[in-house]
Amino acid sequence: EKGGFETFMLKEIHEQADAVADTIADRTVRPDGVDLPELDDELLRGATRLIIVACGTSYHAGLIGRYALEEWARIPVEMDVASEYRYRNPVVGPGDIVIGITQSGETLDTLAAMRLARERGATVIAVTNIMGSQATRDAHSTVYTRAGLEIGVAATKTFVAQVAVMYLLALRMAELRGTLTPERRTELVTRLKRIPHDIGVMLDKGSETIDRVAERHFEKEFFLYLGRHVGLPVSLEGALKLKEISYIATDAYAAGEMKHGPIALLDQDTPVVVVATDSPVLEKVISNIQEVKVRGAHVIAVATEGTDLGDNAEDTLRVPPTDWMLQPLLAVIPLQLLAYRIARLRGLNVDQPRNLAKTVTVE
Ligand code: M6R
């Protein structure tokens, strides 16, 4: 049942090309646009604000969605972890679309946040991987991710499928609201359709550098993760993967915040993972890498093939080029694999980490 892989998690990491391909398939048939027949066009055209609620890895997918929705559809987006949103007496009502992202469709806090918003008059959309789950019953409409069943407690293929759905939604809204030119939409749809291929190539290449980094650092007690813009949620997700399966303390920060505190954590021994894929903020990220390096810490960069980061990073995990907004779908993969290798070197059960449940149906 593990299809020749040593664990479910590794199998599921390798199913990510299919997870994205299946999720976008019939929704990206038109060259210059996306179809999401499950959602009402008038609703998407008329919305004044989007609010995304989710927990854990699904929250990170939502964060990436927020950048895409703002950048492409030019709509204000609010974002909160469901357990905070539901208890903060949120200002929400008619005109708002609330999107609950939950792979299981059964996470109690996310369901409660969605119900609260619905009671107050918002339109609620569920993004879930499980047909007929509670989230689909609590929402007005549902957009399914099509990742297939995920057994490992650590979310991997469901994450990339969620991110793909958020891109689809952002592109659909951009088309309906006229905020992207047909040329730009065509470019993005083309790039998105290429992502499964890119993921496949990356996974087939093997992971020598990742193995080397894991060997060097698996006994460390702390890892810092940094990123900017869409690289930030990737950092958050990489840090969550490492802590949940290897039990190593991690912190993930917006790179620009480093000087406001976390830089004090750095010493000669600290591994610092920096998401430094191509983007308009790459120069800023490179400055952050330099700041880390002068403190003697070890920089492990995730960078686009062909981009020169100078000789500042000790190790560089390469990802194929794509549109910079879509980079998270590729950049997260080396970070999943790094967490995986480290946890295995520590002799841990990655499929069922201690204290964690696949579905959290209690507060
Ligand atoms: O089923 P959900 O997407 O609602 O689950 C949310 C979180 O519990 C989940 O993403 C959790 O953080 C994962 N174990 C992360 O790998």
Side-chain angles (χ1 to χ4, degrees), residues 55-58 101-105 107 153-155 162 240-241 244 360:
C55 304
T57 288
S58 299
I101 308 178
T102 165
Q103 80 78 24
S104 63
T107 298
V153 165
Q162 288 168 338
L240 176 60
K241 287 290 90 96
E244 79 177 321
V360 183

Side-chain angles (χ1 to χ4, degrees), residues 90-104:
V91 181
V92 57
D96 290 328
I97 299 180
V98 172
I99 304 171
I101 308 178
T102 165
Q103 80 78 24
S104 63

